[in-house]
Amino acid sequence: MPETAESLVDKYAVAETCTRMAVYADRREWEKLDALFADTVVLDYTSLNGGKPVRLTPKEITGAWAATLSAYDSTQHLLANQLVDLAGDRAVCTASFQATHRLAAAHGASLWTLGGDYRWQLTRSGDHWLIDAVVMAATWGDGNQALPVRVAG
């Protein structure tokens, strides 16, 4: 079935919302990041951290990410191969990612890079899309894997 103009606009808006999540996190634009999320969001980073998925408010997410990401000198989250599936007022976007984290290190490399896939679930809210679930599936890592421990401590 061919795409309609409306579905193409929606797919673009969904993909851009997900891209903005990565960009705003890297730029430390916490208020803009906060506005991308629904009232509660299921976050699943269990492939990296273990444990279970959690349900958080946007403020809880941005607060935690601000504390963690701001401890790095810089980060860069790149997204590629975005695919969007629409079902009425619901959408799923998947993308490959590569996330590089930089922290000057006296001993060892200053970079830790992680790669894998993201899967977002979004819901339409008026004329925009809000993220209500994020699943990050890390499939590889390279570099100084002690950096996350340094920023957490």
Side-chain angles (χ1 to χ4, degrees):
M1 183 166 123
E3 296 281 353
T4 65
E6 182 179 329
S7 70
L8 290 173
V9 168
D10 282 336
K11 284 185 174 189
Y12 176 82
V14 166
E16 182 162 312
T17 298
C18 298
T19 300
R20 286 178 185 279
M21 187 188 93
V23 170
Y24 293 159
D26 288 335
R27 291 182 182 170
R28 315 304 191 243
E29 294 179 350
W30 307 122
E31 288 183 24
K32 289 181 179 179
L33 180 64
D34 188 76
L36 299 177
F37 296 118
D39 291 340
T40 61
V41 180
V42 174
L43 284 185
D44 184 346
Y45 281 71
T46 57
S47 70
L48 180 63
N49 302 321
K52 295 183 178 185
V54 295
R55 183 175 293 277
L56 301 171
T57 67
K59 292 290 183 205
E60 290 170 324
I61 295 167
T62 56
W65 289 2
T68 301
L69 295 178
S70 294
Y72 288 100
D73 296 329
S74 60
T75 59
Q76 184 178 51
H77 292 76
L78 302 176
L79 302 176
N81 304 326
Q82 290 174 306
L83 299 173
V84 177
D85 292 311
L86 299 171
D89 288 338
R90 299 285 303 153
V92 173
C93 179
T94 58
S96 302
F97 80 89
Q98 182 173 317
T100 301
H101 307 75
R102 184 179 185 290
L103 181 65
H107 303 285
S110 61
L111 296 178
W112 172 54
T113 303
L114 191 65
D117 296 296
Y118 267 105
R119 181 177 186 271
W120 295 270
Q121 294 180 26
L122 301 92
T123 188
R124 186 189 317 265
S125 177
D127 62 351
H128 58 281
W129 293 86
L130 296 175
I131 299 168
D132 58 25
V134 180
V135 178
M136 189 272 289
T139 57
W140 63 271
D142 192 25
N144 188 343
Q145 295 185 13
L147 293 185
V149 174
R150 283 187 51 210
V151 299

